[in-house]
């Protein structure tokens, strides 16, 4: 028998690792990978909750989440290509034209 | 047996992710991440979600990660193009921040009375999920499909050649 | 015809003014000029046609109700009575001739539409003053005259001094207008009506003290428009305008407005002996002040300007001495000969190639057309008051009124009048000798005189010379026609024995001749202008501008400067700018946070997330405690 708390703990740990990845790296691709990890953590919460309550909804949301992630990745990677073409670099801090 | 397998998979996943996020080279990072995602897909299966698990493998590990690899290769990121990885001086405050968040999260989880309870055996047949998806959640599916359409258009717009003079 | 058609007299100049304003530049020049002349000449013809309405008690015509609010009921009423009719006839007649002259004078001016429409508007405004039966309507014309004089004096506004002269005329007369405005409001408060005839009818009911103050307010209002002390400084500078404008201002449309106002309110003003004395005193002082200034002037138009001031002073004296007929008599003859003098001066300036300085003229009797000399001389002898001219009779009747006034203090004013007459005769002939006698001392090339600048002078010169016929005194076998025409409005009947009248007339004639001889003796051969302190003092008009500058303009400027620098800039702007600077500094501090670096934002995000989690944890611990 799996403890619900443990499943959530795995999800939380995954999420925090993703967050650490986002904060740690300055390269846009790695930041995106961090975002993916965080989203996976969220998926795990949905699936675990679905199993805990014996309901279908959690899994539905996990699927929708996956679809939205796909959309997000499509745009984000297109943007990566765009930024690369503009500046020949993927270091996020180089794109600081919004500085006040 | 399934329980033990779940915990083994969980720690495998965390280890793979940890390795992923500490890589300097994005190709290596993606490979580790794919490993982690496989483990996560198996965990989904163990939690009674065979369809989500299958899609996790197909969409995440199969499509999205391949997309990442594809972009890396398309841009031809030679090793010297890959920027300096995380400097070890940045680890200090980050480790503090991450561990604080981690502790807070875990505390929040385990303070809750639900945390101690067990997950009963559960298996959701793909037909049931499909029925739910196309009846109760039909509107959400439509919205998400539009989202995908817009993303396609957006990606296309971003991917067009730059107007002259906007290079650099 | 019926009397409600009286408004046509007003409408015609107004229509032509508006027409020229709108279409003047698009139509052939001749059309604009013809419109301008027709506007005034038509009014003149209409006045003649309507003349019958003025007899008896006159005719009143209410055109429409202008304002109607509570007790305030202002109807646009016209009053064509025996006071207004001759004035209307004079204004339109003289203005017609001046318009004709202006057509010739402004031959080479490009901006003719503006000029002629303002000129017509000027006449319209003056006619409103003359015909108004309502004080507010009168005030409308009063302000219209002020505006038009501003626009016409500063007509050549590209030269700064012209524009300044226009502004000065506007502002100085505006001071008088304020007093008139106060008088108007007070009269309304007292009588509950703004109708002039109604106010005059109720005048006797107003308490004597208030009458004095009201009369003095009216007097100050009249002083502004008529350039009397202390509001006289604008008139000499008003010479900056084109000469037809000067002629119009001096003869027909502006300076006489003050005299006319006092005549209109004579039933009210005459109730107070104090006010009457004040009017006479103002008139006497202005007369001698202006005459003394005219003695030293070198600009031909300024000499004439000061002479106007002086002659209007006589008219004030006449009102003060209680004879409206005398004032109007002098007003009419003065209008004729002053229009002649100004228009002839315009011709002289034209002939001298734009030279204004009389010390750089001379010999014009031979140099110019002979008729110009005779016409100017006709105007000059009228101004000087040589016997049997119109100016002689009108001035004489004023001096008689002063002499016969019961109050002994009027003898002083009479003496001032005599002295002024002497000075007038002297400076008039000084002008004649300097301009016409001797050799040409100028350098300018003469311009040709168009015919239109020559013949309008003749009728006016003849009217000026023969003006005495209007009101020939009884002792000369005359019928005193003007006096009888005014009837009850004429004011005090001048009762004096024929001996006294003969004595006064002889004295006036002698004075005029003495002045002539003095001028002849001094200026028969050319004399360079004196350069002593007295002549400089007189040349500057007794330093009046400097006094105004010292006591009004500079304190005002200092106050304004204090308000600007001290209050506005330092206090208000300073505090506001201080606030703004503080806000900017705060903004600059915040600006440092926006680095534009993604990693900064992300870590800030994460720290915020941690705080949120901590908050939840805290809540949970607290909740668990219960």
């Amino acid at each position: 028998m799996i403890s619900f708390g443990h499943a959530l703990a795995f999800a939380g740990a995954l999420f925090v690792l993703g967050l650490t990845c986002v904060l740690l790296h300055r390269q846009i691709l790695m930041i995106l990978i961090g975002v993916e990890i965080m989203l996976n953590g969220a998926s795990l919460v949905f699936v675990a909750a679905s199993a805990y309550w014996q309901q279908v909804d959690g899994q539905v949301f996990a699927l929708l989440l996956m679809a939205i992630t796909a959309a997000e990745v499509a745009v984000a990677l297109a943007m990566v290509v765009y930024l690369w073409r503009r500046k020949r670099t993927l270091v996020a801090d180089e794109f600081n034209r919004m500085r006040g | 047996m399934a329980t033990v397998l779940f915990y083994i998979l969980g720690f495998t996943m965390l280890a793979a992710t940890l390795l992923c996020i500490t890589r300097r080279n994005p190709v290596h990072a993606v490979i580790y991440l794919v490993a982690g995602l496989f483990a996560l897909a198996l965990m989904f299966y163990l939690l009674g979600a065979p369809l989500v698990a299958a899609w996790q493998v197909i969409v995440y590990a199969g499509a999205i990660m391949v997309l990442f690899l594809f972009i890396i290769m398309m841009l031809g990121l030679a090793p010297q193009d890959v920027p300096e990885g995380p400097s070890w001086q940045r680890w200090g405050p980050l480790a503090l921040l991450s561990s604080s968040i981690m502790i807070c999260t875990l505390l929040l989880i385990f303070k809750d009375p639900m945390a101690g309870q067990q997950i009963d055996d559960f298996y959701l047949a793909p037909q049931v999920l499909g029925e739910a998806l196309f009846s109760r959640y039909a509107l959400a599916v439509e919205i998400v499909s539009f989202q995908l359409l817009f993303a396609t258009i957006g990606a296309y717009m971003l991917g067009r050649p730059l107007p002259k003079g906007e290079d650099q | 015809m019926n009397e409600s058609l009286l408004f046509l007299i007003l409408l015609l100049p107004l229509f032509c003014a508006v027409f020229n304003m709108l279409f003047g530049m698009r139509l052939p020049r001749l059309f604009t000029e013809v419109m301008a002349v027709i506007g005034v000449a038509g009014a003149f013809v209409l006045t003649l046609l309507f003349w019958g309405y003025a007899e008896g008690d006159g005719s009143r015509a209410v055109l429409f109700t202008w304002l109607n609010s509570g007790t305030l009921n202002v109807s646009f009423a016209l009053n064509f009575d025996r006071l207004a009719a001759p004035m209307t006839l004079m204004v339109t007649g003289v203005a017609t001739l001046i318009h004709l002259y202006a057509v010739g004078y402004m031959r080479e001016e490009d901006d003719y539409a503006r000029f002629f429409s303002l000129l017509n508007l000027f006449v319209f405004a003056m006619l409103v003053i003359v015909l108004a039966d309502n004080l507010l309507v009168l005030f409308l014309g009063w302000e219209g005259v002020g505006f038009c004089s501003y626009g016409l004096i500063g007509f050549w506004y590209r030269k700064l001094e012209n524009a300044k002269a226009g502004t000065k005329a506007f502002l100085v007369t505006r001071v008088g207008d304020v007093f008139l405005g106060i008088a108007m409001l007070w009269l309304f408060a007292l009588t509950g009506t703004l109708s002039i005839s109604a106010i005059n009818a109720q005048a006797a009911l107003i308490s004597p003290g208030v009458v004095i103050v009201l009369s003095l307010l009216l007097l100050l209002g009249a002083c502004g428009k008529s350039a009397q002390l202390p509001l006289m400084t604008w008139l000499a500078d008003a010479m900056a305008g084109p000469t037809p404008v000067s002629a119009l201002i001096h003869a027909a449309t502006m300076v006489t407005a003050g005299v006319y106002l006092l005549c209109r309110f004579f039933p009210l003003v005459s109730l107070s002996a104090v006010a009457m004395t004040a009017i006479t005193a103002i008139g006497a002082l202005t007369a001698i002040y202006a005459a003394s200034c005219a003695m030293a002037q070198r600009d031909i138009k300024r000499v004439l300007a000061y002479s106007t001031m002086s002659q209007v002073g006589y008219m004030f004296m006449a009102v003060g001495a209680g004879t409206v007929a005398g004032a109007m008599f002098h007003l009419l003859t003065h209008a004729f000969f002053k229009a002649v003098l100004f228009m002839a001066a315009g011709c002289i300036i034209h002939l001298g190639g734009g030279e204004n300085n009389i010390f750089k003229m001379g010999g014009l009797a031979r140099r110019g057309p002979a008729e110009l000399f005779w016409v100017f001389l006709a105007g000059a002898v009228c101004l000087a008051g040589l016997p049997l001219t119109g100016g002689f009779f009108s001035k004489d009747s004023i001096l008689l009124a002063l002499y016969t006034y019961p109050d002994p203090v009027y003898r002083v004013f009479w003496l001032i009048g005599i002295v002024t007459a002497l000075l007038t005769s002297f400076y008039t002939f000084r002008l004649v000798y300097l301009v016409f006698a001797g050799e040409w001392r100028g350098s300018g090339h003469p311009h040709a005189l168009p015919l239109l600048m020559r013949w309008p002078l003749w009728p006016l010169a003849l009217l000026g010379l023969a003006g005495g016929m209007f009101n020939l005194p009884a002792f000369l076998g005359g019928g005193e026609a003007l006096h009888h025409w005014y009837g009850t409005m004429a004011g005090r009947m001048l009762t004096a024995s024929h001996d006294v009248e003969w004595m006064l007339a002889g004295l006036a004639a002698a004075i005029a001749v003495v002045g002539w001889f003095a001028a002849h003796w001094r200026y028969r051969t050319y004399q360079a202008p004196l350069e002593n302190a007295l002549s400089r003092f007189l040349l500057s008009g007794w330093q009046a501008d400097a006094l105004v500058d010292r006591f009004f303009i500079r304190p005002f400027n200092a106050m304004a400067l204090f308000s600007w620098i001290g209050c506005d800039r330092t206090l208000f702007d300073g505090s506001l700018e201080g606030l703004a600077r503080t806000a900017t500094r705060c903004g600059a501090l915040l600006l440092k946070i926006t680095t534009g670096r993604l990693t900064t934002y992300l870590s800030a995000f994460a720290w915020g997330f941690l705080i949120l989690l901590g908050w939840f944890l805290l809540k949970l611990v607290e909740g668990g405690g219960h």
Side-chain angles (χ1 to χ4, degrees):
Chain A
M1 281 299 172
I2 304 160
S3 160
F4 185 43
H6 292 161
L8 288 182
F10 278 126
L14 195 58
F15 185 86
V16 175
L17 281 176
L19 185 63
T20 311
C21 180
V22 166
L23 296 178
L24 191 60
H25 289 273
R26 287 180 302 162
Q27 203 215 24
I28 297 174
L29 270 172
M30 289 306 290
I31 291 172
L32 281 175
I33 287 173
V35 172
E36 297 307 313
I37 296 169
M38 288 160 81
L39 282 164
N40 275 303
S43 289
L44 183 55
V45 173
F46 276 123
V47 174
S50 175
Y52 177 68
W53 274 292
Q54 313 270 310
Q55 292 286 328
V56 70
D57 310 69
Q59 293 191 15
V60 169
F61 273 94
L63 281 178
L64 294 179
L65 194 62
M66 221 176 275
I68 288 173
T69 307
E72 176 255 333
V73 166
V75 176
L77 287 177
M79 221 171 235
V80 166
V81 173
Y82 178 79
L83 293 174
W84 172 260
R85 277 200 267 175
R86 294 258 332 205
K87 278 205 161 176
R88 296 276 151 197
T89 179
L90 288 180
V91 178
D93 290 348
E94 293 290 315
F95 303 95
N96 60 353
R97 296 246 317 254
M98 296 278 276
R99 186 179 56 212
Chain B
M1 178 62 206
T3 313
V4 176
L5 194 59
F6 181 82
Y7 286 105
I8 291 170
L9 282 169
F11 285 113
T12 312
M13 177 197 70
L14 288 184
T17 310
L18 194 64
L19 282 167
C20 162
I21 68 170
T22 49
R23 292 309 93 187
R24 273 185 58 192
N25 191 330
V27 179
H28 297 174
V30 170
I31 301 296
Y32 279 115
L33 185 58
V34 170
L37 291 177
F38 272 123
L40 188 63
L42 287 173
M43 287 167 81
F44 285 166
Y45 183 81
L46 289 178
L47 287 168
L51 194 68
V52 180
W55 283 8
Q56 176 81 2
V57 173
I58 295 166
V59 176
Y60 255 116
I64 295 180
M65 287 304 120
V66 168
L67 204 56
F68 268 91
L69 286 176
F70 176 69
I71 291 295
I72 292 165
M73 287 165 190
M74 191 184 99
L75 298 182
L77 290 178
Q80 67 265 29
D81 292 333
V82 179
E84 194 76 13
S87 67
W88 294 97
Q89 283 149 346
R90 293 181 66 189
W91 271 108
L94 246 174
L96 181 70
L97 180 62
S98 296
S99 50
S100 311
I101 292 177
M102 182 76 90
I103 290 164
C104 285
T105 313
L106 294 180
L107 275 176
L108 271 171
I109 290 168
F110 288 112
K111 272 276 175 184
D112 200 287
M114 260 194 294
Q117 292 177 19
Q118 304 293 309
I119 297 176
D120 294 330
D121 279 335
F122 177 64
Y123 179 80
L124 192 74
Q127 297 98 308
V128 184
L129 182 61
E131 270 168 28
L133 211 51
F134 290 106
S135 55
R136 265 181 73 193
Y137 291 100
L139 185 63
V141 170
E142 284 303 313
I143 291 170
V144 168
S145 68
F146 270 104
Q147 177 97 31
L148 281 165
L149 179 66
F150 297 148
T152 315
I153 295 168
Y156 168 72
M157 295 298 286
L158 283 167
R160 282 184 314 169
L162 287 177
K164 271 193 186 132
E166 283 205 34
D167 269 331
Q168 302 301 311
Chain C
M1 288 205 291
N2 85 39
E3 65 254 26
S4 61
L5 288 176
L6 278 170
F7 76 94
L8 284 173
I9 297 176
L10 288 178
L11 191 68
L12 212 54
L14 178 66
F15 170 75
C16 291
V18 173
F19 182 87
N20 277 345
M21 246 177 248
L22 297 178
F23 308 112
M25 294 309 277
R26 305 212 178 108
L27 295 171
R29 186 179 186 124
L30 187 67
F31 197 83
T32 308
E33 290 165 352
V34 168
M35 279 301 278
V37 175
I38 279 181
V40 188
F44 176 68
V45 173
L46 282 171
T47 312
L48 284 176
L49 289 176
F50 288 126
W51 189 259
Y53 288 114
E55 282 161 7
D57 286 334
S59 305
R60 294 187 72 242
V62 178
L63 299 185
F64 55 88
T65 300
W66 183 16
L67 298 170
N68 195 352
S69 164
T71 53
L72 176 66
N73 191 332
V74 180
S75 54
F76 204 100
L78 302 181
N79 185 5
F80 192 65
D81 60 6
R82 281 175 296 176
L83 188 62
M87 189 77 180
T88 314
L89 198 66
M90 183 278 285
V91 169
T92 52
V94 173
T96 305
L97 292 169
I98 292 174
H99 271 65
L100 283 170
Y101 175 83
V103 170
Y105 189 87
M106 301 302 273
R107 204 170 37 156
E108 282 159 16
E109 173 65 41
D110 291 328
D111 235 352
Y112 56 92
R114 177 163 60 96
F115 180 78
F116 283 113
S117 61
L118 275 175
L119 221 52
N120 274 0
L121 204 61
F122 207 175
V123 175
F124 162 74
M126 185 64 192
L127 289 174
V128 169
I129 294 179
V130 174
L131 292 173
D133 188 39
N134 193 295
L135 198 46
L136 201 62
V137 178
L138 185 142
F139 199 67
L140 184 73
W142 195 263
E143 296 295 319
V145 164
F147 164 72
C148 292
S149 66
Y150 162 74
L152 285 168
I153 292 168
F155 180 72
W156 288 312
Y157 56 87
R158 284 188 184 83
K159 255 174 91 180
L160 186 64
E161 57 201 275
N162 294 350
K164 273 187 178 163
T167 314
K168 188 177 179 185
F170 194 65
L171 290 179
V172 174
T173 55
R174 188 62 61 264
V175 175
D177 297 354
V178 171
F179 292 111
L180 180 61
I182 296 170
M184 180 168 76
L185 295 177
W186 199 343
L187 281 170
F188 178 70
L190 283 173
T191 62
T193 174
L194 282 172
S195 166
I196 294 171
S197 36
I199 288 172
N200 279 334
Q202 297 180 35
L205 302 175
I206 303 173
S207 72
V210 176
V211 168
I212 293 176
V213 181
L214 278 173
S215 304
L216 291 179
L217 285 171
L218 288 172
L219 172 63
L220 277 167
C223 281
K225 275 282 178 290
S226 290
Q228 300 294 292
L229 287 169
L231 300 173
M232 71 297 174
T233 53
W234 65 272
L235 190 64
D237 287 350
M239 293 304 107
T243 303
V245 175
S246 308
L248 209 54
I249 288 177
H250 287 261
T253 54
M254 187 140 168
V255 293
T256 52
V259 181
Y260 185 78
L261 180 80
L262 291 178
C263 291
R264 259 275 166 249
F265 281 98
F266 189 73
L268 174 80
V269 173
S270 60
L271 290 174
S272 152
V274 177
M276 294 290 269
T277 314
I279 292 171
T280 319
I282 292 270
L285 288 176
T286 311
I288 191 146
Y289 158 80
S292 69
C293 292
M295 305 258 293
Q297 298 303 313
R298 293 169 192 174
D299 182 326
I300 181 168
K301 286 171 80 179
R302 285 181 87 91
V303 176
L304 295 176
Y306 277 112
S307 77
T308 302
M309 230 185 264
S310 174
Q311 299 303 308
V312 175
Y314 272 110
M315 297 172 208
F316 270 57
M317 283 199 265
V319 176
T323 165
V324 171
M328 293 305 287
F329 184 27
H330 197 53
L331 195 158
L332 295 177
T333 54
H334 172 258
F336 299 139
F337 67 69
K338 192 48 66 68
V340 166
L341 283 172
F342 262 110
M343 295 204 281
C347 293
I348 288 165
I349 293 166
H350 232 65
L351 279 176
E355 181 58 65
N356 279 11
N357 191 338
I358 48 176
F359 286 95
K360 291 184 178 163
M361 294 180 182
L364 270 181
R366 283 189 301 280
R367 189 177 154 90
E371 66 184 53
L372 183 62
F373 169 65
W374 292 112
V375 169
F376 192 85
L377 189 66
V381 294
C382 290
L383 176 60
L386 282 193
L388 304 181
T389 61
F392 169 77
F393 288 114
S394 55
K395 205 182 284 183
D396 191 44
S397 75
I398 292 172
L399 291 173
L400 176 68
L402 287 170
Y403 187 79
T404 59
Y405 201 79
D407 192 339
V409 77
Y410 276 67
R411 288 293 168 90
V412 178
F413 299 139
W414 172 76
L415 205 63
I416 292 175
I418 290 287
V419 174
T420 306
L422 177 66
L423 297 180
T424 308
S425 172
F426 176 77
Y427 71 69
T428 309
F429 282 105
R430 165 179 175 267
L431 192 61
V432 173
Y433 278 111
L434 279 172
V435 171
F436 288 100
E439 295 301 316
W440 172 248
R441 299 180 293 273
S443 52
H445 293 286
H447 301 286
L449 282 183
L451 206 60
L452 269 178
M453 280 175 74
R454 286 155 73 169
W455 74 257
L457 279 68
W458 284 106
L460 286 172
L462 293 176
L463 275 171
L465 283 175
M469 302 301 290
F470 293 130
N471 199 17
L472 206 59
F475 70 95
L476 285 175
E480 298 198 318
L482 201 63
H483 199 277
H484 288 300
W485 165 260
Y486 284 125
T488 51
M489 294 177 179
R492 199 162 59 86
M493 191 67 204
L494 305 179
T495 48
S497 68
H498 282 194
D499 290 343
V500 172
E501 291 194 29
W502 273 110
M503 187 270 285
L504 284 175
L507 184 63
I511 284 287
V513 173
V514 166
W516 176 16
F517 280 149
H520 182 78
W521 168 74
R522 177 88 176 80
Y523 288 106
R524 187 187 48 202
T525 54
Y526 170 69
Q527 299 286 327
L530 290 174
E531 284 294 352
N532 56 24
L534 180 66
S535 75
R536 273 198 299 278
F537 179 66
L538 293 178
L539 182 63
S540 62
W542 293 26
Q543 306 284 0
D545 281 332
L547 285 175
V548 170
D549 188 58
R550 178 93 178 254
F551 289 105
F552 292 99
I553 296 176
R554 269 196 237 157
F556 184 79
N557 280 348
M559 215 167 71
L561 204 67
F562 172 73
S563 302
W564 174 37
I565 303 279
C567 290
D568 191 61
R569 208 193 244 178
T570 311
L571 195 66
F572 300 125
D573 285 5
S575 53
L576 287 176
E577 275 168 20
L579 272 178
R581 229 174 279 133
T582 314
T584 312
R585 282 211 198 99
C586 295
L589 280 179
L590 285 174
L591 196 66
K592 285 183 184 148
I593 296 173
T594 50
T595 57
R597 290 157 67 97
L598 188 62
T599 47
T600 320
Y601 298 156
L602 283 174
S603 45
F605 202 59
W607 284 106
F609 183 54
L610 177 62
I611 290 167
L612 205 64
L613 282 180
W615 171 257
F616 280 142
L617 205 60
L618 205 66
K619 281 272 153 195
L620 201 69
V621 171
E622 275 179 2
H626 284 290

